[in-house]
Amino acid sequence: MPATPSPSARTLIRPSRADDAEALAAIYGWHVEHGTGTFELERPSPDEMARRRDEVLGRGLPWLVVEAEGRVLGYAYANYFRPRMAYRFALEDSIYLAPEAQGRGLGRLLLAELIARCEAQGARQMLAVIGDSANAGSIGLHRALGFVDAGVLAASGWKFDRWLDVVLMQRALGPGASTPPGDRG
């Protein structure tokens, strides 16, 4: 595998495009098959990833990619935490990096941009629902960007012949809960 550059002038955070579906599926598929950050058990196809992306974008929410030297190395998106209208100001983030891109600061750039875009859209809370309490990389990334521990759902997933926890983290966006929200209806 070619070496992945550290963040530089050649690193670009941009909105995802329809032609990114294959790269999105490859990145996520690796995590499905090898990681515990997702509890999904079967690798989705590029068409399924495109459908998921279109659903998020159809809600007016961001789906971003990090690209270095023309190659998509990771992605992050925000989606509704829950479908009921009372939750409309709370978004859940998802972030996945290609294995060779981890530990190079790309996830921090990507998540910081996602947070900024969600704040600009009027969201008030961002929630991280992190698979596996041993997922130090994701937990550390979220802590570094201001997320605080909100709880653990012990042994709530079964993958790779073992029980896995879910770690809940939360970060206020903009004024958080200090003022009433604008309309995000």
Side-chain angles (χ1 to χ4, degrees), residues 103-122:
R104 300 180 185 272
L106 299 174
R108 186 179 184 118
L109 292 173
L110 193 54
L111 186 54
E113 181 64 22
L114 183 70
I115 289 167
R117 290 185 185 217
C118 292
E119 280 181 332
Q121 290 183 336

mmCIF file of all heavy atoms in Angstrom, residues 103-122:
data_model
loop_
_atom_site.group_PDB
_atom_site.id
_atom_site.type_symbol
_atom_site.label_atom_id
_atom_site.label_comp_id
_atom_site.label_asym_id
_atom_site.label_seq_id
_atom_site.Cartn_x
_atom_site.Cartn_y
_atom_site.Cartn_z
ATOM 1 N N GLY A 103 -4.320 7.755 12.377
ATOM 2 C CA GLY A 103 -3.194 8.236 13.160
ATOM 3 C C GLY A 103 -2.392 9.342 12.508
ATOM 4 O O GLY A 103 -1.277 9.639 12.933
ATOM 5 N N ARG A 104 -2.935 9.995 11.500
ATOM 6 C CA ARG A 104 -2.212 11.033 10.760
ATOM 7 C C ARG A 104 -2.885 12.408 10.860
ATOM 8 O O ARG A 104 -2.525 13.317 10.143
ATOM 9 C CB ARG A 104 -2.068 10.629 9.305
ATOM 10 C CG ARG A 104 -1.298 9.328 9.139
ATOM 11 C CD ARG A 104 -1.185 8.958 7.683
ATOM 12 N NE ARG A 104 -0.558 7.683 7.526
ATOM 13 C CZ ARG A 104 0.751 7.493 7.428
ATOM 14 N NH1 ARG A 104 1.582 8.498 7.487
ATOM 15 N NH2 ARG A 104 1.225 6.283 7.269
ATOM 16 N N GLY A 105 -3.894 12.513 11.700
ATOM 17 C CA GLY A 105 -4.566 13.797 11.879
ATOM 18 C C GLY A 105 -5.696 14.056 10.903
ATOM 19 O O GLY A 105 -6.363 15.088 10.992
ATOM 20 N N LEU A 106 -5.934 13.136 9.973
ATOM 21 C CA LEU A 106 -6.992 13.340 8.981
ATOM 22 C C LEU A 106 -8.381 13.256 9.608
ATOM 23 O O LEU A 106 -9.280 14.005 9.235
ATOM 24 C CB LEU A 106 -6.846 12.324 7.841
ATOM 25 C CG LEU A 106 -5.543 12.406 7.049
ATOM 26 C CD1 LEU A 106 -5.463 11.268 6.044
ATOM 27 C CD2 LEU A 106 -5.388 13.748 6.376
ATOM 28 N N GLY A 107 -8.558 12.359 10.550
ATOM 29 C CA GLY A 107 -9.841 12.235 11.227
ATOM 30 C C GLY A 107 -10.195 13.497 11.989
ATOM 31 O O GLY A 107 -11.345 13.931 11.989
ATOM 32 N N ARG A 108 -9.201 14.104 12.614
ATOM 33 C CA ARG A 108 -9.439 15.347 13.357
ATOM 34 C C ARG A 108 -9.875 16.468 12.419
ATOM 35 O O ARG A 108 -10.815 17.209 12.714
ATOM 36 C CB ARG A 108 -8.171 15.740 14.113
ATOM 37 C CG ARG A 108 -8.379 16.923 15.006
ATOM 38 C CD ARG A 108 -7.089 17.271 15.753
ATOM 39 N NE ARG A 108 -7.337 18.343 16.673
ATOM 40 C CZ ARG A 108 -7.211 18.266 17.981
ATOM 41 N NH1 ARG A 108 -6.814 17.147 18.536
ATOM 42 N NH2 ARG A 108 -7.467 19.302 18.740
ATOM 43 N N LEU A 109 -9.208 16.597 11.279
ATOM 44 C CA LEU A 109 -9.604 17.608 10.293
ATOM 45 C C LEU A 109 -11.026 17.372 9.803
ATOM 46 O O LEU A 109 -11.823 18.302 9.688
ATOM 47 C CB LEU A 109 -8.654 17.588 9.098
ATOM 48 C CG LEU A 109 -7.223 18.049 9.311
ATOM 49 C CD1 LEU A 109 -6.394 17.792 8.062
ATOM 50 C CD2 LEU A 109 -7.190 19.513 9.689
ATOM 51 N N LEU A 110 -11.329 16.137 9.509
ATOM 52 C CA LEU A 110 -12.636 15.763 8.965
ATOM 53 C C LEU A 110 -13.746 16.008 9.984
ATOM 54 O O LEU A 110 -14.770 16.631 9.661
ATOM 55 C CB LEU A 110 -12.576 14.293 8.557
ATOM 56 C CG LEU A 110 -13.654 13.691 7.708
ATOM 57 C CD1 LEU A 110 -13.870 14.470 6.419
ATOM 58 C CD2 LEU A 110 -13.297 12.248 7.386
ATOM 59 N N LEU A 111 -13.559 15.555 11.211
ATOM 60 C CA LEU A 111 -14.595 15.728 12.218
ATOM 61 C C LEU A 111 -14.768 17.201 12.593
ATOM 62 O O LEU A 111 -15.889 17.662 12.791
ATOM 63 C CB LEU A 111 -14.296 14.883 13.457
ATOM 64 C CG LEU A 111 -15.377 14.853 14.531
ATOM 65 C CD1 LEU A 111 -16.738 14.432 13.977
ATOM 66 C CD2 LEU A 111 -14.953 13.929 15.673
ATOM 67 N N ALA A 112 -13.672 17.953 12.656
ATOM 68 C CA ALA A 112 -13.772 19.389 12.958
ATOM 69 C C ALA A 112 -14.598 20.112 11.897
ATOM 70 O O ALA A 112 -15.435 20.968 12.221
ATOM 71 C CB ALA A 112 -12.387 20.009 13.080
ATOM 72 N N GLU A 113 -14.390 19.768 10.648
ATOM 73 C CA GLU A 113 -15.170 20.394 9.573
ATOM 74 C C GLU A 113 -16.636 19.976 9.641
ATOM 75 O O GLU A 113 -17.530 20.796 9.425
ATOM 76 C CB GLU A 113 -14.577 20.043 8.213
ATOM 77 C CG GLU A 113 -15.295 20.673 7.035
ATOM 78 C CD GLU A 113 -15.232 22.197 7.006
ATOM 79 O OE1 GLU A 113 -14.328 22.807 7.627
ATOM 80 O OE2 GLU A 113 -16.103 22.807 6.344
ATOM 81 N N LEU A 114 -16.888 18.732 9.961
ATOM 82 C CA LEU A 114 -18.273 18.268 10.101
ATOM 83 C C LEU A 114 -18.975 19.037 11.226
ATOM 84 O O LEU A 114 -20.111 19.493 11.057
ATOM 85 C CB LEU A 114 -18.304 16.764 10.379
ATOM 86 C CG LEU A 114 -19.700 16.155 10.467
ATOM 87 C CD1 LEU A 114 -20.367 16.126 9.096
ATOM 88 C CD2 LEU A 114 -19.636 14.762 11.071
ATOM 89 N N ILE A 115 -18.304 19.187 12.352
ATOM 90 C CA ILE A 115 -18.877 19.930 13.480
ATOM 91 C C ILE A 115 -19.190 21.356 13.050
ATOM 92 O O ILE A 115 -20.287 21.872 13.320
ATOM 93 C CB ILE A 115 -17.908 19.907 14.680
ATOM 94 C CG1 ILE A 115 -17.852 18.500 15.292
ATOM 95 C CG2 ILE A 115 -18.304 20.942 15.726
ATOM 96 C CD1 ILE A 115 -16.708 18.291 16.268
ATOM 97 N N ALA A 116 -18.257 22.006 12.381
ATOM 98 C CA ALA A 116 -18.458 23.401 11.952
ATOM 99 C C ALA A 116 -19.660 23.515 11.024
ATOM 100 O O ALA A 116 -20.473 24.444 11.154
ATOM 101 C CB ALA A 116 -17.200 23.925 11.270
ATOM 102 N N ARG A 117 -19.815 22.591 10.105
ATOM 103 C CA ARG A 117 -20.940 22.660 9.172
ATOM 104 C C ARG A 117 -22.273 22.409 9.874
ATOM 105 O O ARG A 117 -23.276 23.041 9.539
ATOM 106 C CB ARG A 117 -20.727 21.687 8.020
ATOM 107 C CG ARG A 117 -19.597 22.158 7.121
ATOM 108 C CD ARG A 117 -19.442 21.300 5.912
ATOM 109 N NE ARG A 117 -18.272 21.723 5.159
ATOM 110 C CZ ARG A 117 -18.209 21.731 3.850
ATOM 111 N NH1 ARG A 117 -19.239 21.335 3.131
ATOM 112 N NH2 ARG A 117 -17.107 22.117 3.245
ATOM 113 N N CYS A 118 -22.279 21.502 10.833
ATOM 114 C CA CYS A 118 -23.517 21.230 11.571
ATOM 115 C C CYS A 118 -23.902 22.410 12.456
ATOM 116 O O CYS A 118 -25.083 22.746 12.551
ATOM 117 C CB CYS A 118 -23.371 19.948 12.380
ATOM 118 S SG CYS A 118 -23.270 18.465 11.339
ATOM 119 N N GLU A 119 -22.913 23.049 13.078
ATOM 120 C CA GLU A 119 -23.188 24.270 13.853
ATOM 121 C C GLU A 119 -23.774 25.349 12.960
ATOM 122 O O GLU A 119 -24.745 26.013 13.329
ATOM 123 C CB GLU A 119 -21.896 24.796 14.496
ATOM 124 C CG GLU A 119 -21.501 24.079 15.752
ATOM 125 C CD GLU A 119 -20.240 24.636 16.380
ATOM 126 O OE1 GLU A 119 -19.368 25.188 15.673
ATOM 127 O OE2 GLU A 119 -20.121 24.517 17.613
ATOM 128 N N ALA A 120 -23.192 25.522 11.785
ATOM 129 C CA ALA A 120 -23.665 26.552 10.856
ATOM 130 C C ALA A 120 -25.099 26.293 10.415
ATOM 131 O O ALA A 120 -25.830 27.238 10.086
ATOM 132 C CB ALA A 120 -22.738 26.627 9.647
ATOM 133 N N GLN A 121 -25.529 25.042 10.422
ATOM 134 C CA GLN A 121 -26.899 24.696 10.039
ATOM 135 C C GLN A 121 -27.881 24.788 11.200
ATOM 136 O O GLN A 121 -29.061 24.522 11.022
ATOM 137 C CB GLN A 121 -26.936 23.285 9.444
ATOM 138 C CG GLN A 121 -26.281 23.193 8.087
ATOM 139 C CD GLN A 121 -26.406 21.801 7.494
ATOM 140 O OE1 GLN A 121 -26.564 20.800 8.194
ATOM 141 N NE2 GLN A 121 -26.343 21.728 6.174
ATOM 142 N N GLY A 122 -27.397 25.124 12.395
ATOM 143 C CA GLY A 122 -28.290 25.315 13.523
ATOM 144 C C GLY A 122 -28.450 24.129 14.454
ATOM 145 O O GLY A 122 -29.257 24.183 15.382
#
